[in-house]
Coordinates of all heavy atoms in Angstrom, one line a residue:
G6 N 106.3 101.0 109.1 CA 106.2 102.3 108.6 C 106.3 102.5 107.1 O 106.7 101.7 106.5
T7 N 106.0 103.7 106.7 CA 106.2 104.0 105.3 C 107.5 104.5 105.0 O 108.1 105.3 105.8 CB 105.1 105.1 105.0 OG1 103.9 104.7 105.4 CG2 105.2 105.5 103.6
D8 N 108.1 104.0 103.9 CA 109.4 104.5 103.4 C 109.2 105.7 102.5 O 108.6 105.6 101.5 CB 110.1 103.4 102.7 CG 111.4 103.7 102.1 OD1 111.9 104.8 102.5 OD2 112.0 102.8 101.3
V9 N 109.7 106.7 103.0 CA 109.6 108.0 102.3 C 111.0 108.5 101.8 O 111.1 109.7 101.4 CB 108.9 109.2 103.2 CG1 107.5 108.8 103.4 CG2 109.7 109.5 104.4
S10 N 111.9 107.6 101.8 CA 113.3 108.0 101.4 C 113.4 108.6 100.0 O 114.1 109.6 99.7 CB 114.3 107.0 101.5 OG 113.9 105.8 100.8
N11 N 112.5 108.1 99.0 CA 112.5 108.6 97.7 C 112.0 110.0 97.6 O 112.5 110.8 97.0 CB 111.8 107.6 96.8 CG 112.2 107.9 95.3 OD1 113.3 108.4 95.1 ND2 111.3 107.6 94.5
E12 N 110.7 110.2 98.3 CA 110.3 111.5 98.4 C 111.2 112.5 99.0 O 111.3 113.6 98.6 CB 108.9 111.6 99.1 CG 107.8 110.8 98.4 CD 107.6 109.4 98.8 OE1 108.5 108.8 99.3 OE2 106.4 109.0 98.7
A13 N 111.9 112.2 100.0 CA 112.8 113.0 100.6 C 114.0 113.4 99.8 O 114.6 114.6 100.0 CB 113.5 112.3 101.9
K14 N 114.3 112.8 98.6 CA 115.4 113.2 97.8 C 114.9 114.5 97.1 O 115.8 115.1 96.5 CB 115.5 112.2 96.7 CG 116.2 110.9 97.3 CD 116.4 109.8 96.2 CE 117.0 108.6 96.8 NZ 117.1 107.5 95.8
I15 N 113.9 115.1 97.4 CA 113.5 116.4 96.8 C 114.4 117.5 97.4 O 114.7 118.5 96.9 CB 112.0 116.7 97.0 CG1 111.5 117.8 96.1 CG2 111.7 117.2 98.5 CD1 110.1 117.8 95.7
A16 N 115.0 117.1 98.6 CA 115.9 118.1 99.2 C 117.2 118.2 98.3 O 117.8 119.3 98.2 CB 116.4 117.5 100.6
L17 N 117.4 117.2 97.5 CA 118.6 117.3 96.5 C 118.3 118.3 95.4 O 119.1 119.0 94.8 CB 118.9 115.9 95.9 CG 119.4 114.9 96.9 CD1 119.5 113.5 96.3 CD2 120.6 115.3 97.6
D18 N 116.9 118.5 95.2 CA 116.6 119.5 94.1 C 116.9 120.9 94.7 O 117.4 121.8 94.0 CB 115.1 119.5 93.8 CG 114.8 118.2 93.0 OD1 115.7 117.6 92.4 OD2 113.5 117.9 92.9
V19 N 116.7 121.1 96.1 CA 117.0 122.4 96.6 C 118.5 122.6 96.5 O 119.0 123.7 96.2 CB 116.5 122.4 98.1 CG1 116.9 123.7 98.9 CG2 115.0 122.3 98.2
K20 N 119.2 121.6 96.9 CA 120.7 121.7 96.7 C 121.2 122.0 95.4 O 122.0 122.8 95.1 CB 121.4 120.4 97.2 CG 122.8 120.4 97.3 CD 123.3 119.2 97.8 CE 124.9 119.2 97.8 NZ 125.5 117.9 98.2
D21 N 120.5 121.4 94.4 CA 120.8 121.7 92.9 C 120.5 123.1 92.6 O 121.3 123.8 91.9 CB 120.1 120.7 92.0 CG 120.7 119.3 92.0 OD1 121.6 119.1 92.6 OD2 119.9 118.4 91.4
M22 N 119.4 123.6 93.0 CA 119.0 125.0 92.8 C 120.0 125.9 93.5 O 120.4 127.0 92.8 CB 117.6 125.3 93.4 CG 116.5 124.7 92.7 SD 114.9 124.9 93.5 CE 114.7 126.7 93.4
Q23 N 120.5 125.6 94.7 CA 121.5 126.4 95.3 C 122.8 126.5 94.5 O 123.6 127.6 94.6 CB 121.8 126.0 96.8 CG 120.6 126.2 97.6 CD 120.8 125.6 99.0 OE1 121.4 124.6 99.2 NE2 120.0 126.2 100.0
S24 N 123.1 125.5 93.8 CA 124.4 125.4 93.0 C 124.3 126.1 91.7 O 125.2 126.4 91.0 CB 124.8 124.0 92.8 OG 124.0 123.3 91.9
K25 N 123.1 126.6 91.3 CA 123.0 127.2 90.0 C 123.4 128.7 90.1 O 123.2 129.3 91.1 CB 121.6 127.1 89.4 CG 121.0 125.8 89.4 CD 121.9 124.9 88.4 CE 121.3 123.4 88.2 NZ 122.3 122.6 87.6
D26 N 123.9 129.4 89.1 CA 124.3 130.6 89.1 C 123.3 131.6 88.3 O 123.6 132.8 88.2 CB 125.7 130.8 88.5 CG 125.8 130.3 87.0 OD1 124.8 129.9 86.5 OD2 126.9 130.4 86.5
N27 N 122.2 131.1 87.8 CA 121.2 132.0 87.3 C 119.8 131.6 87.5 O 119.6 130.4 87.7 CB 121.5 132.3 85.8 CG 121.1 131.1 85.0 OD1 120.0 130.7 84.8 ND2 122.2 130.4 84.3
I28 N 118.9 132.6 87.5 CA 117.5 132.2 87.9 C 116.8 131.3 86.9 O 116.0 130.5 87.3 CB 116.7 133.6 88.0 CG1 115.4 133.3 88.7 CG2 116.5 134.2 86.6 CD1 115.5 133.1 90.1
D29 N 117.2 131.3 85.6 CA 116.6 130.3 84.7 C 116.9 128.9 85.0 O 116.0 128.1 85.0 CB 116.9 130.8 83.2 CG 116.3 132.0 82.8 OD1 115.2 132.3 83.2 OD2 116.8 132.8 81.9
A30 N 118.1 128.7 85.3 CA 118.5 127.4 85.8 C 117.9 126.9 87.0 O 117.5 125.7 87.1 CB 120.1 127.3 85.9
M31 N 117.7 127.8 88.0 CA 117.1 127.5 89.2 C 115.5 127.2 88.9 O 115.1 126.2 89.5 CB 117.1 128.6 90.1 CG 118.5 129.0 90.7 SD 118.4 130.5 91.6 CE 120.1 130.7 91.9
R32 N 114.9 127.9 88.1 CA 113.5 127.6 87.7 C 113.4 126.2 87.1 O 112.4 125.6 87.3 CB 113.0 128.8 86.7 CG 112.4 129.9 87.4 CD 111.6 130.7 86.4 NE 111.3 131.9 87.1 CZ 111.8 133.1 86.8 NH1 112.6 133.3 85.8 NH2 111.5 134.2 87.5
T33 N 114.3 125.9 86.2 CA 114.3 124.6 85.6 C 114.3 123.5 86.6 O 113.5 122.6 86.5 CB 115.4 124.4 84.5 OG1 115.3 125.5 83.5 CG2 115.4 123.0 83.9
V34 N 115.1 123.5 87.6 CA 115.2 122.6 88.6 C 113.9 122.6 89.4 O 113.3 121.6 89.7 CB 116.4 122.7 89.6 CG1 116.4 121.8 90.7 CG2 117.7 122.6 88.7
Y35 N 113.4 123.8 89.8 CA 112.2 123.9 90.5 C 111.0 123.3 89.7 O 110.2 122.5 90.4 CB 111.9 125.4 90.8 CG 110.4 125.7 91.4 CD1 110.2 125.5 92.6 CD2 109.4 126.1 90.5 CE1 108.9 125.7 93.1 CE2 108.1 126.3 91.0 CZ 107.9 126.1 92.3 OH 106.7 126.2 92.9
K36 N 110.9 123.5 88.5 CA 109.7 123.0 87.8 C 109.9 121.5 87.4 O 109.0 120.8 87.4 CB 109.5 123.8 86.5 CG 109.1 125.2 86.7 CD 108.2 125.6 85.6 CE 107.5 127.0 85.8 NZ 106.2 126.8 86.5
N37 N 111.1 121.0 87.1 CA 111.3 119.7 86.6 C 111.9 118.7 87.6 O 111.8 117.6 87.4 CB 112.2 119.8 85.4 CG 111.6 120.6 84.2 OD1 110.4 120.6 84.1 ND2 112.5 121.3 83.5
G38 N 112.4 119.2 88.6 CA 113.1 118.3 89.8 C 114.2 117.5 89.1 O 115.0 117.9 88.3
G39 N 114.1 116.2 89.5 CA 115.1 115.3 88.8 C 115.7 114.3 89.8 O 116.2 113.3 89.4
N40 N 115.4 114.5 91.1 CA 115.9 113.6 92.1 C 114.9 112.8 92.9 O 115.2 111.8 93.4 CB 116.8 114.4 93.2 CG 118.0 115.0 92.6 OD1 118.9 114.3 92.1 ND2 118.0 116.3 92.5
S41 N 113.6 113.1 92.7 CA 112.6 112.5 93.6 C 111.5 111.9 92.8 O 111.0 112.5 91.8 CB 112.0 113.6 94.5 OG 111.1 113.1 95.4
L42 N 110.9 110.9 93.3 CA 109.7 110.3 92.7 C 108.7 110.3 93.9 O 109.0 110.1 95.1 CB 109.9 108.9 92.3 CG 110.9 108.6 91.1 CD1 111.0 107.2 90.9 CD2 110.3 109.4 89.9
S43 N 107.4 110.4 93.5 CA 106.3 110.5 94.5 C 106.1 109.0 95.0 O 106.6 108.0 94.4 CB 105.0 111.1 93.9 OG 104.6 110.2 92.9
S44 N 105.1 108.8 96.0 CA 104.9 107.5 96.4 C 104.3 106.6 95.4 O 104.4 105.4 95.4 CB 103.9 107.6 97.6 OG 102.7 108.3 97.2
D45 N 103.8 107.1 94.3 CA 103.2 106.3 93.2 C 104.2 106.3 92.0 O 103.9 106.1 90.9 CB 101.8 106.7 92.7 CG 101.7 108.2 92.3 OD1 102.8 108.9 92.5 OD2 100.7 108.5 91.8
D46 N 105.5 106.5 92.3 CA 106.6 106.4 91.3 C 106.5 107.4 90.1 O 106.9 107.1 89.0 CB 106.8 105.1 90.8 CG 107.3 104.1 91.9 OD1 108.1 104.5 92.7 OD2 107.0 102.9 91.9
Q47 N 105.8 108.6 90.4 CA 105.8 109.6 89.4 C 106.8 110.7 89.7 O 107.2 110.9 90.8 CB 104.5 110.3 89.4 CG 103.2 109.4 89.0 CD 103.4 108.8 87.7 OE1 103.6 109.5 86.7 NE2 103.3 107.5 87.5
P48 N 107.5 111.3 88.7 CA 108.4 112.4 88.9 C 107.8 113.4 89.7 O 106.6 113.9 89.6 CB 108.7 112.9 87.5 CG 108.4 111.8 86.5 CD 107.2 111.1 87.2
Q49 N 108.6 113.9 90.7 CA 108.2 114.9 91.7 C 109.2 116.1 91.6 O 110.3 115.9 91.7 CB 108.0 114.3 93.0 CG 107.6 115.2 94.2 CD 107.3 114.5 95.4 OE1 106.3 114.2 95.7 NE2 108.4 114.2 96.2
S50 N 108.6 117.3 91.7 CA 109.5 118.5 91.7 C 108.9 119.4 92.8 O 107.8 119.2 93.4 CB 109.5 119.2 90.4 OG 108.2 119.8 90.2
L51 N 109.7 120.4 93.2 CA 109.2 121.4 94.1 C 107.9 122.0 93.7 O 106.9 122.2 94.4 CB 110.2 122.4 94.5 CG 111.4 121.9 95.2 CD1 112.6 122.9 95.2 CD2 111.1 121.6 96.7
A52 N 107.8 122.2 92.4 CA 106.5 122.8 91.7 C 105.4 121.9 91.9 O 104.3 122.3 92.2 CB 106.8 123.2 90.3
T53 N 105.6 120.6 91.7 CA 104.5 119.7 91.7 C 103.9 119.6 93.2 O 102.7 119.1 93.4 CB 104.8 118.3 91.2 OG1 105.8 117.7 92.0 CG2 105.1 118.3 89.8
L54 N 104.7 119.8 94.2 CA 104.2 119.8 95.6 C 103.1 120.8 95.7 O 102.1 120.6 96.6 CB 105.4 120.1 96.6 CG 106.4 119.1 96.7 CD1 107.4 119.6 97.7 CD2 105.8 117.7 97.1
S55 N 103.1 121.9 95.0 CA 102.0 122.9 95.0 C 101.0 122.6 93.9 O 99.8 122.6 94.2 CB 102.5 124.3 94.7 OG 101.6 125.2 94.6
T56 N 101.4 122.4 92.7 CA 100.4 122.2 91.6 C 99.5 121.0 91.7 O 98.6 120.9 91.0 CB 101.2 122.2 90.2 OG1 102.1 121.1 90.2 CG2 101.9 123.5 90.0
T57 N 100.0 120.0 92.5 CA 99.2 118.8 92.7 C 98.8 118.6 94.1 O 98.4 117.5 94.5 CB 99.9 117.6 92.3 OG1 101.2 117.3 93.0 CG2 100.3 117.6 90.7
S58 N 98.8 119.7 94.9 CA 98.5 119.6 96.3 C 97.1 119.3 96.8 O 96.9 118.6 97.8 CB 99.0 121.0 97.0 OG 98.1 122.0 96.5
F59 N 96.1 119.7 96.1 CA 94.8 119.6 96.6 C 94.3 118.2 96.9 O 93.8 118.0 97.9 CB 93.8 120.4 95.6 CG 92.3 120.4 96.2 CD1 92.2 121.3 97.3 CD2 91.4 119.6 95.7 CE1 90.8 121.4 97.8 CE2 90.1 119.7 96.2 CZ 89.8 120.5 97.3
P60 N 94.5 117.3 95.9 CA 94.0 115.9 96.2 C 94.8 115.3 97.5 O 94.1 114.6 98.3 CB 94.5 115.1 95.1 CG 94.6 116.1 94.0 CD 95.1 117.4 94.6
R61 N 96.0 115.7 97.7 CA 96.7 115.1 98.9 C 96.5 116.0 100.2 O 96.6 115.4 101.3 CB 98.3 115.1 98.6 CG 98.6 114.2 97.6 CD 100.1 114.1 97.2 NE 100.5 115.4 96.4 CZ 101.2 116.4 97.0 NH1 101.7 116.4 98.1 NH2 101.4 117.5 96.2
M62 N 96.2 117.2 100.1 CA 96.2 118.1 101.2 C 94.9 118.6 101.6 O 94.7 119.4 102.5 CB 97.2 119.2 100.9 CG 98.6 118.8 100.7 SD 99.5 118.3 102.1 CE 99.6 119.7 103.1
S63 N 93.8 118.3 100.9 CA 92.5 119.0 101.1 C 92.0 118.8 102.4 O 91.2 119.6 102.9 CB 91.5 118.5 100.1 OG 91.3 117.1 100.2
E64 N 92.4 117.8 103.2 CA 91.9 117.6 104.6 C 92.8 118.3 105.7 O 92.5 118.2 106.8 CB 91.7 116.1 104.9 CG 90.8 115.5 103.9 CD 89.3 116.0 104.1 OE1 88.9 116.3 105.3 OE2 88.6 116.2 103.1
D65 N 93.9 118.9 105.2 CA 94.9 119.4 106.2 C 94.5 120.8 106.6 O 94.3 121.7 105.7 CB 96.3 119.5 105.5 CG 97.3 119.9 106.5 OD1 97.4 121.2 106.6 OD2 98.0 119.1 107.1
P66 N 94.2 121.0 107.9 CA 93.7 122.4 108.3 C 94.8 123.5 108.0 O 94.2 124.6 107.5 CB 93.7 122.1 109.9 CG 93.6 120.7 110.1 CD 94.3 120.1 109.0
M67 N 96.0 123.3 108.1 CA 96.9 124.4 107.7 C 96.9 124.8 106.2 O 97.0 125.9 105.8 CB 98.3 124.1 108.2 CG 99.3 125.3 108.1 SD 98.8 126.6 109.0 CE 99.0 126.1 110.7
Y68 N 96.8 123.7 105.4 CA 96.8 123.9 103.9 C 95.4 124.7 103.6 O 95.6 125.7 102.9 CB 96.7 122.5 103.2 CG 96.4 122.6 101.8 CD1 97.4 122.9 100.9 CD2 95.1 122.4 101.3 CE1 97.0 123.0 99.5 CE2 94.8 122.5 99.9 CZ 95.8 122.7 99.0 OH 95.4 122.9 97.7
N69 N 94.5 124.4 104.2 CA 93.1 125.1 104.0 C 93.1 126.5 104.6 O 92.5 127.5 104.0 CB 91.9 124.3 104.5 CG 91.6 123.2 103.6 OD1 91.5 123.3 102.5 ND2 91.6 122.0 104.2
Y70 N 93.8 126.7 105.7 CA 94.0 128.1 106.1 C 94.7 129.0 105.1 O 94.2 130.0 104.8 CB 94.9 128.1 107.4 CG 95.2 129.4 108.0 CD1 94.2 130.1 108.7 CD2 96.4 129.9 107.8 CE1 94.6 131.4 109.2 CE2 96.8 131.2 108.2 CZ 95.8 131.9 108.9 OH 96.2 133.1 109.4
F71 N 95.8 128.5 104.6 CA 96.5 129.3 103.5 C 95.7 129.4 102.3 O 95.6 130.4 101.7 CB 97.8 128.7 103.3 CG 98.9 129.0 104.2 CD1 99.3 128.2 105.2 CD2 99.4 130.2 104.3 CE1 100.2 128.4 106.2 CE2 100.3 130.6 105.3 CZ 100.7 129.6 106.2
R72 N 95.0 128.3 101.9 CA 94.2 128.3 100.7 C 93.1 129.3 100.8 O 92.9 130.2 99.9 CB 93.6 126.9 100.4 CG 93.0 126.7 99.0 CD 92.7 125.3 98.8 NE 91.8 124.7 99.7 CZ 90.4 124.5 99.4 NH1 90.0 125.1 98.3 NH2 89.7 124.0 100.3
Y73 N 92.4 129.4 101.9 CA 91.3 130.5 102.0 C 91.9 131.8 102.2 O 91.2 132.7 101.8 CB 90.4 130.0 103.2 CG 89.5 128.8 102.9 CD1 89.6 127.6 103.6 CD2 88.5 128.9 101.9 CE1 88.9 126.5 103.2 CE2 87.7 127.8 101.5 CZ 87.9 126.6 102.1 OH 87.2 125.6 101.8
T74 N 93.0 132.0 102.8 CA 93.6 133.2 102.9 C 93.9 133.8 101.5 O 93.6 134.9 101.2 CB 94.8 133.2 103.8 OG1 94.5 132.8 105.1 CG2 95.5 134.6 103.9
F75 N 94.6 133.0 100.7 CA 94.9 133.5 99.4 C 93.7 133.6 98.5 O 93.6 134.5 97.6 CB 95.8 132.5 98.7 CG 97.3 132.8 99.2 CD1 98.0 132.0 100.1 CD2 98.0 133.9 98.8 CE1 99.2 132.2 100.6 CE2 99.2 134.2 99.4 CZ 99.8 133.3 100.3
R76 N 92.7 132.9 98.7 CA 91.3 133.1 98.0 C 90.8 134.5 98.4 O 90.4 135.2 97.5 CB 90.3 132.0 98.4 CG 89.1 132.2 97.6 CD 88.1 131.1 97.9 NE 87.4 131.4 99.2 CZ 86.4 130.7 99.7 NH1 86.0 129.6 99.2 NH2 86.0 131.1 100.8
S77 N 90.9 134.8 99.7 CA 90.4 136.1 100.1 C 91.2 137.3 99.6 O 90.7 138.2 99.1 CB 90.4 136.2 101.7 OG 89.9 137.5 102.1
I78 N 92.5 137.1 99.5 CA 93.3 138.1 99.0 C 93.0 138.3 97.5 O 92.9 139.5 96.9 CB 94.8 137.8 99.1 CG1 95.2 137.8 100.6 CG2 95.8 138.7 98.3 CD1 96.6 137.3 100.9
G79 N 92.9 137.3 96.8 CA 92.6 137.3 95.3 C 91.3 138.0 95.0 O 91.2 138.9 94.2
Q80 N 90.3 137.6 95.7 CA 88.9 138.2 95.5 C 88.7 139.5 96.1 O 88.3 140.4 95.4 CB 87.9 137.2 96.1 CG 86.5 137.7 95.8 CD 85.4 136.7 96.3 OE1 85.7 135.8 97.0 NE2 84.2 136.8 95.8
D81 N 89.1 139.7 97.5 CA 88.8 140.9 98.1 C 89.8 142.1 97.8 O 89.4 143.3 97.7 CB 88.8 140.7 99.6 CG 87.6 139.7 100.0 OD1 86.7 139.5 99.2 OD2 87.8 139.2 101.2
E82 N 91.0 141.7 97.6 CA 92.0 142.7 97.4 C 92.4 142.9 96.0 O 93.0 144.0 95.6 CB 93.2 142.5 98.3 CG 92.8 142.6 99.9 CD 94.0 142.3 100.8 OE1 95.2 142.6 100.4 OE2 93.7 141.9 101.9
E83 N 92.4 142.0 95.2 CA 92.9 142.0 93.8 C 91.7 141.9 92.8 O 92.0 142.1 91.6 CB 94.0 140.9 93.6 CG 95.2 141.1 94.4 CD 96.2 140.1 94.2 OE1 96.1 139.3 93.2 OE2 97.3 140.1 94.9
G84 N 90.6 141.8 93.3 CA 89.4 141.8 92.4 C 89.3 140.6 91.5 O 88.6 140.7 90.4
E85 N 89.9 139.5 91.8 CA 89.9 138.4 90.9 C 88.6 137.5 91.2 O 88.0 137.6 92.3 CB 91.1 137.4 91.2 CG 92.4 138.3 90.7 CD 93.6 137.4 90.7 OE1 94.3 137.3 91.8 OE2 93.9 136.8 89.7
R86 N 88.3 136.5 90.3 CA 87.1 135.8 90.6 C 87.3 134.8 91.7 O 88.5 134.5 91.9 CB 86.7 135.1 89.3 CG 87.7 134.1 88.7 CD 87.2 133.6 87.3 NE 88.0 132.5 86.8 CZ 89.2 132.8 86.3 NH1 89.7 134.0 86.2 NH2 90.0 131.7 85.9
L87 N 86.3 134.3 92.3 CA 86.5 133.4 93.4 C 87.3 132.2 93.1 O 87.1 131.6 92.0 CB 85.1 132.9 93.9 CG 85.1 132.0 95.1 CD1 85.6 132.8 96.3 CD2 83.5 131.6 95.3
G88 N 88.3 131.8 93.8 CA 89.1 130.7 93.7 C 90.3 130.9 92.9 O 91.0 130.1 92.6
V89 N 90.6 132.3 92.7 CA 91.8 132.5 91.9 C 92.7 133.4 92.6 O 92.3 134.4 93.3 CB 91.3 133.2 90.5 CG1 92.6 133.8 89.7 CG2 90.6 132.2 89.7
F90 N 94.0 133.3 92.5 CA 95.0 134.1 93.2 C 96.0 134.3 92.1 O 96.7 133.4 91.5 CB 95.6 133.5 94.4 CG 96.8 134.3 95.0 CD1 96.5 135.5 95.6 CD2 98.1 133.8 94.9 CE1 97.6 136.2 96.2 CE2 99.1 134.4 95.4 CZ 98.9 135.7 96.0
D91 N 96.3 135.6 91.7 CA 97.3 135.9 90.6 C 97.0 135.1 89.4 O 98.0 134.6 88.8 CB 98.7 135.7 91.1 CG 99.2 136.9 91.9 OD1 98.5 137.9 92.0 OD2 100.3 136.9 92.5
D92 N 95.8 135.0 89.0 CA 95.4 134.3 87.7 C 95.7 132.8 87.7 O 95.7 132.2 86.7 CB 96.1 135.0 86.4 CG 95.7 136.4 86.3 OD1 94.5 136.7 86.5 OD2 96.6 137.2 85.9
E93 N 95.9 132.3 88.9 CA 96.0 130.8 89.0 C 95.1 130.3 90.0 O 94.6 131.0 90.9 CB 97.5 130.4 89.4 CG 98.5 130.9 88.4 CD 98.4 130.2 87.1 OE1 97.9 129.0 87.0 OE2 98.8 130.8 86.0
P94 N 94.8 128.9 90.0 CA 93.9 128.3 91.0 C 94.5 128.6 92.4 O 95.7 128.4 92.6 CB 93.8 126.9 90.6 CG 94.2 126.9 89.1 CD 95.2 127.9 89.0
V95 N 93.7 129.0 93.3 CA 94.1 129.2 94.7 C 94.8 128.0 95.3 O 95.8 128.2 96.1 CB 92.9 129.8 95.5 CG1 92.0 128.7 95.9 CG2 93.5 130.6 96.7
E96 N 94.5 126.8 94.9 CA 95.2 125.7 95.5 C 96.5 125.5 95.2 O 97.3 124.8 95.8 CB 94.4 124.4 94.9 CG 93.0 124.2 95.4 CD 91.9 125.0 94.9 OE1 92.1 125.6 93.8 OE2 90.9 125.1 95.4
Q97 N 97.0 126.3 94.1 CA 98.4 126.3 93.7 C 99.2 127.5 94.2 O 100.1 128.0 93.7 CB 98.5 126.2 92.2 CG 97.8 125.0 91.6 CD 97.9 125.0 90.1 OE1 98.7 125.7 89.5 NE2 97.1 124.2 89.5
Y98 N 98.7 128.1 95.4 CA 99.3 129.3 95.9 C 100.8 129.3 96.1 O 101.5 130.2 95.8 CB 98.6 129.7 97.3 CG 98.8 128.8 98.4 CD1 100.0 128.9 99.2 CD2 97.8 127.9 98.7 CE1 100.2 128.1 100.3 CE2 98.1 127.1 99.8 CZ 99.3 127.1 100.6 OH 99.4 126.3 101.6
G99 N 101.3 128.1 96.5 CA 102.8 128.0 96.7 C 103.6 128.2 95.4 O 104.5 129.0 95.4
D100 N 103.1 127.5 94.3 CA 103.7 127.8 93.0 C 103.6 129.2 92.5 O 104.5 129.7 91.9 CB 103.2 126.7 92.0 CG 103.8 126.8 90.7 OD1 105.1 126.6 90.6 OD2 103.2 127.1 89.7
T101 N 102.5 129.7 92.8 CA 102.1 131.1 92.3 C 103.1 132.1 93.0 O 103.7 133.0 92.4 CB 100.7 131.5 92.6 OG1 99.8 130.6 91.9 CG2 100.3 132.9 92.1
L102 N 103.4 131.9 94.3 CA 104.2 132.8 95.0 C 105.6 132.6 94.6 O 106.4 133.7 94.4 CB 104.2 132.5 96.6 CG 102.9 132.9 97.2 CD1 102.9 132.4 98.6 CD2 102.6 134.4 97.1
V103 N 106.1 131.5 94.2 CA 107.4 131.3 93.8 C 107.7 131.7 92.4 O 108.7 132.4 92.1 CB 107.8 129.7 93.8 CG1 109.1 129.5 93.2 CG2 107.8 129.2 95.4
T104 N 106.8 131.6 91.5 CA 107.1 131.9 90.1 C 106.5 133.4 89.8 O 106.8 133.8 88.7 CB 106.2 131.0 89.2 OG1 104.9 131.0 89.4 CG2 106.8 129.6 89.3
D105 N 106.0 134.1 90.7 CA 105.5 135.5 90.6 C 106.6 136.3 90.5 O 107.6 136.4 91.1 CB 104.6 135.8 91.6 CG 103.7 137.1 91.3 OD1 103.9 137.6 90.2 OD2 103.0 137.5 92.2

């Protein structure tokens, strides 16, 4: 099987965020991480799970369900150009929701 123990250390970022007493410190951990590396040994944070999601998740039906839903909200309800949600690429909807 595949060893995902390093990627799983992202849970330690969540724990670190919970221990912070202000939103700016929490955002720093969210954006920068510090405990996890991706499968190709690159730094990984909770933010990068969204901002780099498309290449990894483009074939996942649930990911595409959410992606198309947020595309529709951006275009139909907020008047944004196609593929944009809250002024960001729709593929990054998770990060957009957290940082909004």
Side-chain angles (χ1 to χ4, degrees):
T7 303
D8 182 7
V9 295
S10 59
N11 198 27
E12 288 99 331
K14 290 179 183 176
I15 202 149
L17 297 174
D18 290 347
V19 174
K20 184 177 178 183
D21 288 349
M22 288 173 63
Q23 291 171 332
S24 72
K25 303 300 181 195
D26 59 358
N27 70 67
I28 194 73
D29 291 329
M31 291 175 192
R32 269 195 194 109
T33 297
V34 174
Y35 169 78
K36 289 207 171 278
N37 300 323
N40 293 295
S41 179
L42 295 175
S43 66
S44 59
D45 58 352
D46 291 326
Q47 297 298 310
Q49 177 172 264
S50 69
L51 290 164
T53 61
L54 291 178
S55 174
T56 59
T57 64
S58 63
F59 188 72
R61 291 178 287 110
M62 302 287 293
S63 63
E64 299 297 318
D65 183 276
M67 189 58 72
Y68 171 79
N69 285 307
Y70 173 81
F71 282 105
R72 192 167 66 92
Y73 286 112
T74 299
F75 282 105
R76 183 181 78 175
S77 177
I78 292 169
Q80 185 178 13
D81 300 341
E82 296 182 25
E83 297 183 1
E85 297 187 271
R86 67 187 184 282
L87 184 63
V89 173
F90 174 72
D91 278 355
D92 296 321
E93 297 296 333
V95 73
E96 289 80 14
Q97 298 178 18
Y98 66 83
D100 184 61
T101 302
L102 292 174
V103 170
T104 59
D105 194 5

